[in-house]
Amino acid sequence: MEAVITKELLENAMSYEQYLSLLSGLLMEEKTTGENQSEAMLNYARMNDKRMKKWTKIGKLTPETQERLLNITSPLTLLVITEGWCGDAAQNLPFIYKMTQLNPLLEMKVILRDEHPEVIDQFLTNGGRSIPKIIGLDPESLTVLGDWGPRPTEIQNEFLENKKTQERSATEFAVYLHLWYAQDKGITLQNEFLAKLELWNKKQQSLPVQAD
């Protein structure tokens, strides 16, 4: 699993700010990221550009989140796999970015799914290339400590249940999903991702010390 994630991959990965800039620049050219350049994907990317900018500006981390972030005492690299048309990424990544800004030991790196199939194929969700995926890494050894995604467990379970029951159409569930995000304001994501960070922090501390 670790073999596909290399120092070179991370060196060439984008920061969150660079990712936002890339998407904005592509949209000015009537393009989005990824292989599918349909009008539908372009429209999704436009909406997501607005969502990310909105949450990056107005999203709030809870006092508990801010306090618990200080308990992360080991350096961690968070490798994000995403695309500009991905609605779940637009709703979640701004909060994860804000978390990395509060603890300098956390570094967020972004790569595009369609440009790195060899990476996403190591982190499939029920056999699919669902995004976003966030991979926790030890920055020195590149040991994979775990992964998160594509969305908070609560709404992911609803998504999977609806897939079975077909109670809502895909379009109806998408509306419901983004309403859920709007009302939740990143709270569920913060609690769930913090638990992941704390687990990865413990795993990282138990890794063998590398010789110089």
Side-chain angles (χ1 to χ4, degrees):
M1 187 177 290
E2 292 88 346
V4 299
I5 300 175
T6 63
K7 292 283 187 183
E8 183 180 12
L9 176 77
L10 294 177
E11 287 169 3
N12 292 325
M14 296 174 280
S15 66
Y16 177 73
E17 294 92 341
Q18 287 171 329
Y19 172 61
L20 285 182
S21 179
L22 171 69
L23 183 57
S24 294
L26 286 171
L27 287 171
M28 290 178 68
E29 300 175 12
E30 298 292 306
K31 296 178 183 177
T32 183
T33 67
E35 298 172 352
N36 188 336
Q37 293 292 320
S38 68
E39 188 62 30
M41 288 300 191
L42 186 56
N43 285 334
Y44 294 146
R46 289 191 188 105
M47 286 189 289
N48 293 331
D49 183 59
K50 291 177 182 176
R51 286 174 179 139
M52 283 191 289
K53 287 174 179 174
K54 179 189 79 170
W55 286 126
T56 303
K57 183 177 181 180
I58 70 169
K60 303 290 184 186
L61 298 183
T62 67
E64 181 187 2
T65 294
Q66 296 179 51
E67 183 179 346
R68 286 170 65 187
L69 277 171
L70 300 178
N71 295 327
I72 306 300
T73 55
S74 299
L76 294 171
T77 297
L78 308 179
L79 178 61
V80 177
I81 309 173
T82 189
E83 291 287 349
W85 44 260
C86 178
D88 290 290
Q91 300 282 14
N92 291 299
L93 296 189
F95 291 98
I96 292 169
Y97 167 72
K98 285 176 177 286
M99 292 165 78
T100 66
Q101 295 302 289
L102 278 183
N103 189 326
L105 292 174
L106 302 175
E107 183 178 29
M108 186 174 179
K109 295 280 193 174
V110 182
I111 61 173
L112 299 177
R113 185 193 72 171
D114 291 355
E115 292 183 2
H116 298 280
E118 76 287 355
V119 181
I120 189 62
D121 283 349
Q122 297 292 332
F123 300 93
L124 300 177
T125 303
N126 299 322
R129 292 176 169 177
S130 301
I131 50 175
K133 273 290 174 135
I134 301 167
I135 305 157
L137 298 165
D138 171 65
E140 290 302 316
S141 66
L142 302 188
T143 298
V144 174
L145 304 168
D147 64 87
W148 178 91
R151 56 181 68 91
T153 302
E154 178 183 329
I155 193 67
Q156 172 70 351
N157 288 341
E158 289 194 51
F159 170 80
L160 294 173
E161 181 63 22
N162 188 72
K163 205 170 181 182
K164 290 180 188 174
T165 65
Q166 297 292 305
E167 182 178 339
R168 294 182 174 95
S169 69
T171 300
E172 288 169 340
F173 192 86
V175 171
Y176 171 76
L177 172 70
H178 289 293
L179 179 61
W180 183 90
Y181 278 124
Q183 294 173 338
D184 188 70
K185 295 181 172 62
I187 302 299
T188 301
L189 177 276
Q190 290 176 54
N191 292 332
E192 187 172 308
F193 198 72
L194 269 168
K196 284 284 188 181
L197 287 175
E198 289 164 348
L199 176 62
W200 296 347
N201 183 63
K202 287 182 181 178
K203 285 186 176 181
Q204 201 274 350
Q205 290 174 342
S206 68
L207 291 175
V209 177
Q210 287 192 310
D212 293 333

